[in-house]
Amino acid sequence: MNYVFKRLAQAVFTLYAVVTLSFGLIQMLPGGPADYLRAQMRQQGGTRMSAEELNRRIEAQYDVNEPIHQQYIDYMASVLQGDLGESVRHGDVADVLAQAIPWTVFLLATSLFLMFTIGVVLGAFMAYREGSRFDLGSTGLSLVLNSTPYYVVALLLLTFLAYRTGLFPTGGHHASKLEPGLYPGFVLSVLHHAALPIASLVVTGFGGWALNMRGNSIRVLGEDYLRVARLRGLSESRIAIRYVGRNAILPMYTNLMIAIGGVFGGAIILEQIFRYPGVGWYLINAIGQRDYPMMMGTFIIITVAVLLGVVIADLTYGWIDPRAKGGASRESY
């Protein structure tokens, strides 16, 4: 219980430190939401609105004259109450992110599941055929793909499969003419729109998992207890699944949970490339508009995702691998 409390307390402190640091760094950026509001109001009001009237309207909508420390105290108090503030363009930040998070989670969870599954299966075959042409070819392919940035593949897929051939849509998460719901037409539209973003992550991501699985499996295949298992007459399929596969995957569990947060951060550029309205898409737009509340809201969401992955990995690793039980020795960060 003390270990659980310690890990949760560390996670809460890390979240507080990240939010505080992000708030300070954002305040140092040139410009601000007030400048964006002034530009918008000038466009709407033309030259008929005086500078004093313009400033009064901005002050009424946004606390631009409060000192930074007071803004920090007010913001932290609002966050503790679940209020992430008002975006200068999209309205309530919590409501906007509540609608965006499911799309980002769907995109990243599907990608991570496919990357991990393909990588584990391919890595196991590579280990069992170590030194063969299949092993050498798969290792080279995995290295090349794992070294390729996902956004390069994303741009290539978008150019050739969306803009030139029209096989896939160029943006959005479903056809605009369809009403959201759990019916075949809408589900197929969602999968059609998510296919290229998911493919970009999977193509460049499964190679790393395959190489990890290959290395772990080769190490396990040299263990003495496998020779004992064969002498006992156990089938090769049982040895492969219960002895080799299980012990090779265990070291990858912590990396998998931490990767949840890493992939969450990687969605920022991916969603912008495919104009996929998720958390990353809103973050990029918020940076361009100096939309501080939206930027802070997305930073908090990404930080929470990373911390959840690490904490879950820490608290569940001992249950998955009883050999790791023993308090601080199983910490993953």
Side-chain angles (χ1 to χ4, degrees):
M1 185 58 71
N2 288 335
Y3 176 75
V4 175
F5 178 78
K6 176 184 174 185
R7 304 308 291 164
L8 293 177
Q10 287 179 340
V12 172
F13 175 77
T14 303
L15 177 62
Y16 167 76
V18 170
V19 172
T20 302
L21 184 63
S22 300
F23 185 89
L25 292 175
I26 286 177
Q27 295 297 325
M28 296 171 65
L29 291 174
D35 296 330
Y36 177 80
L37 289 174
R38 286 191 179 92
Q40 291 293 105
M41 289 181 177
R42 284 196 181 95
Q43 290 178 359
Q44 296 170 3
T47 57
R48 291 173 297 176
M49 187 180 299
S50 65
E52 292 75 14
E53 184 180 359
L54 187 60
N55 289 333
R56 282 197 298 273
R57 291 187 60 178
I58 291 174
E59 291 172 5
Q61 186 172 350
Y62 205 85
D63 295 332
V64 295
N65 294 325
E66 293 287 347
I68 292 180
H69 71 277
Q70 187 61 48
Q71 292 182 34
Y72 171 75
I73 294 173
D74 293 342
Y75 182 76
M76 294 301 285
S78 299
V79 169
L80 291 176
Q81 299 174 33
D83 181 8
L84 298 179
E86 290 286 327
S87 166
V88 297
R89 184 175 180 182
H90 302 288
D92 187 81
V93 173
D95 289 343
V96 173
L97 293 181
Q99 296 177 10
I101 287 174
W103 295 105
T104 299
V105 170
F106 161 71
L107 195 70
L108 302 183
T110 306
S111 303
L112 196 57
F113 172 77
L114 292 176
M115 279 191 288
F116 187 76
T117 303
I118 296 173
V120 166
V121 174
L122 178 62
F125 276 108
M126 290 161 63
Y128 267 95
R129 299 184 180 181
E130 182 185 7
S132 66
R133 290 184 179 179
F134 173 77
D135 178 35
L136 295 176
S138 299
T139 301
L141 179 65
S142 298
L143 285 172
V144 171
L145 292 178
N146 197 49
S147 303
T148 305
Y150 69 87
Y151 50 84
V152 173
V153 176
L155 290 173
L156 291 174
L157 293 176
L158 186 65
T159 301
F160 290 102
L161 297 182
Y163 282 109
R164 292 197 178 182
T165 63
L167 295 175
F168 292 91
T170 58
H173 38 54
H174 61 81
S176 57
K177 61 182 179 182
L178 296 178
E179 289 293 329
L182 290 177
Y183 57 91
F186 181 74
V187 173
L188 290 176
S189 178
V190 169
L191 295 177
H192 192 210
H193 283 72
L196 293 186
I198 290 175
S200 304
L201 291 176
V202 173
V203 167
T204 57
F206 77 87
W209 294 107
L211 293 175
N212 281 336
M213 183 64 184
R214 177 184 180 277
N216 293 341
S217 298
I218 289 175
R219 177 181 54 78
V220 174
L221 284 170
E223 297 289 344
D224 292 335
Y225 59 83
L226 289 187
R227 298 189 185 92
V228 175
R230 290 191 177 94
L231 290 175
R232 291 174 55 195
L234 299 180
S235 64
E236 281 298 325
S237 59
R238 185 176 180 182
I239 293 174
I241 296 174
R242 295 196 58 180
Y243 291 84
V244 180
R246 181 181 179 184
N247 288 293
I249 290 176
L250 280 177
M252 300 168 64
Y253 175 71
T254 301
N255 292 335
L256 175 65
M257 300 308 296
I258 295 176
I260 294 174
V263 175
F264 214 95
I268 295 171
I269 299 176
L270 188 74
E271 291 181 349
Q272 187 67 20
I273 291 175
F274 289 101
R275 294 189 294 119
Y276 196 87
V279 175
W281 185 82
Y282 281 106
L283 174 58
I284 292 292
N285 289 339
I287 292 174
Q289 297 160 0
R290 297 294 187 269
D291 191 347
Y292 292 173
M294 183 62 75
M295 292 168 65
M296 286 298 302
T298 52
F299 287 153
I300 291 174
I301 295 298
I302 293 173
T303 304
V304 169
V306 175
L307 292 175
L308 276 178
V310 174
V311 171
I312 291 174
D314 271 343
L315 299 183
T316 59
Y317 191 78
W319 175 70
I320 293 177
D321 185 0
R323 295 172 301 178
K325 287 184 177 179
S329 62
R330 58 192 166 112
E331 293 180 359
S332 63
Y333 78 104

